[in-house]
Amino acid sequence: MPKSMTGYGRASAQEDNWTLSWEIRSLNNRHLDLKWKIPSTLYAHQKIWENEVRAVANRGGVELYLGLKILNPELQSLSLDTAMAGSMLKELGRLAESLGASFAPDLNRLMGIPSLWRETGSIDNPQLVESLTETLKAALRDWDEARAREGLALEEDLRARFARLGALVGDIRALAAQTAPERFALLQERVGKLLAESGVQVDPDRMLQELAVISDRIDVSEELTRLEIHLRGIDGYFNQTEPVGRKLDFMVQECFREINTCGNKSQNTAISQLVVSFKAELEKCREQIQNLE
């Protein structure tokens, strides 16, 4: 069953020492493009998490957001730049002394200066990393289920559209079969008039052979047969378990090639109108396929 490249998933966890949540959003993309919104202290674990995503998805622009709140101070990876803080206090003391004023440092204000705080490295707490990984897996399952639901809706729409295309091929074939003798007779009549006006004598059998060759050049039966084969192949792709978006896109291009040839070879107004309808419906199919993984 095909899956959509667009989707949303979420999962959260609450422990004694932390609370966390993962949110996953995805849009269409020719390749798998992952964008992580996680604290820098967790970059060391990103590669493992990327493997979890790649086990679920093959294409799409995927954004992953992590909301993490650590409740246990011992797990925080923050440190105070005491050297800078001391230097700042010393300089303020000198300034107060030069002005003949007293200096009483306000440590609360000092603690509110962001530049004095820095990350000390990565978070290596095994329990926290395991909780993050398991919650990510749960968010991926939720996201993948959303993509599957949307993919099912796309499949139903595409099956209906391809069924209409199959019916149009049948209409074109029936019309071409009806008009082929008429075209051959008309062509024979025109050539006969030209020969009569020019006074040139031509072997009737030879003329019929040449007319048959010309008639074959405007015959669209082979193109219609290939179209039918392509449409049957497309129907089979919907039963596959692996991603089919690229395969369907390729098959649609092949269908465009065959129907364009039909339009170019056809010399019948009614067939040309059916070709236009076929191409319009096929373009809608292509737009929908762009959403499939």
Side-chain angles (χ1 to χ4, degrees):
M1 179 181 67
K3 295 179 181 179
S4 171
M5 280 189 283
T6 60
Y8 173 82
R10 187 180 187 280
S12 60
Q14 184 169 356
E15 307 287 348
D16 293 336
N17 294 323
W18 59 76
T19 60
L20 65 94
S21 66
W22 283 99
E23 289 191 24
I24 305 174
R25 297 183 177 90
S26 60
L27 297 171
N28 299 347
N29 197 297
R30 293 183 61 188
H31 308 285
L32 183 60
D33 181 24
L34 305 181
K35 295 182 180 179
W36 297 87
K37 306 292 184 181
I38 61 176
S40 59
T41 51
L42 294 171
Y43 285 167
H45 310 287
Q46 182 174 312
K47 182 61 178 178
I48 297 175
W49 295 339
E50 283 186 1
N51 293 335
E52 296 292 342
V53 180
R54 293 182 184 277
V56 177
N58 291 272
R59 289 204 300 165
V62 185
E63 295 182 345
L64 302 101
Y65 303 86
L66 171 61
L68 174 63
K69 183 176 182 181
I70 296 180
L71 306 176
N72 186 344
E74 295 182 0
L75 298 179
Q76 295 283 0
S77 59
L78 291 175
S79 67
L80 177 66
D81 190 339
T82 55
M84 181 179 288
S87 178
M88 292 171 66
L89 290 173
K90 189 175 182 179
E91 289 299 315
L92 288 173
R94 289 176 179 173
L95 177 62
E97 183 179 355
S98 67
L99 296 175
S102 60
F103 175 60
D106 187 348
L107 296 181
N108 289 328
R109 285 179 173 269
L110 194 68
M111 291 178 64
I113 301 176
S115 61
L116 294 179
W117 300 96
R118 59 187 178 186
E119 302 285 354
T120 58
S122 63
I123 297 178
D124 293 321
N125 182 277
Q127 290 77 24
L128 175 56
V129 174
E130 181 181 3
S131 180
L132 287 165
T133 303
E134 292 303 315
T135 307
L136 173 61
K137 290 180 180 179
L140 286 171
R141 288 192 295 270
D142 187 50
W143 171 64
D144 201 39
E145 290 172 0
R147 295 195 306 138
R149 289 192 297 271
E150 187 171 341
L152 180 60
L154 288 172
E155 177 185 344
E156 292 176 352
D157 180 74
L158 284 169
R159 281 184 181 275
R161 293 186 183 279
F162 283 121
R164 287 195 287 271
L165 290 176
L168 283 172
V169 172
D171 293 342
I172 294 173
R173 185 182 289 280
L175 193 57
Q178 293 174 5
T179 57
E182 297 175 2
R183 291 203 308 270
F184 186 84
L186 181 61
L187 187 61
Q188 187 177 16
E189 180 183 352
R190 289 178 178 175
V191 172
K193 288 183 179 180
L194 288 174
L195 292 175
E197 292 174 358
S198 62
V200 177
Q201 297 295 324
V202 178
D203 181 16
D205 292 337
R206 175 66 177 178
M207 184 181 72
L208 289 175
Q209 290 177 1
E210 295 297 330
L211 288 174
V213 171
I214 296 173
S215 180
D216 185 64
R217 290 175 182 173
I218 60 176
D219 179 52
V220 295
S221 59
E222 291 185 7
E223 287 77 14
L224 295 176
T225 297
R226 286 193 290 269
L227 269 175
E228 290 171 339
I229 293 173
H230 293 334
L231 292 175
R232 286 198 298 269
I234 287 171
D235 187 67
Y237 284 142
F238 289 117
N239 299 320
Q240 297 183 7
T241 56
E242 67 265 18
V244 297
R246 287 175 175 162
K247 295 179 181 178
L248 288 173
D249 188 55
F250 173 77
M251 294 300 288
V252 165
Q253 292 180 35
E254 293 299 303
C255 288
F256 266 114
R257 181 178 292 111
E258 299 299 342
I259 198 63
N260 280 332
T261 303
C262 287
N264 293 334
K265 293 173 68 174
S266 173
Q267 298 182 7
N268 180 277
T269 303
I271 291 179
S272 297
Q273 291 174 346
L274 291 176
V275 167
V276 170
S277 298
F278 187 101
K279 292 170 68 173
E281 189 69 18
L282 191 59
E283 180 61 34
K284 293 177 183 177
C285 291
R286 178 159 59 182
E287 292 173 358
Q288 290 286 58
I289 288 172
Q290 300 307 311
N291 298 315
L292 291 178
E293 185 181 54

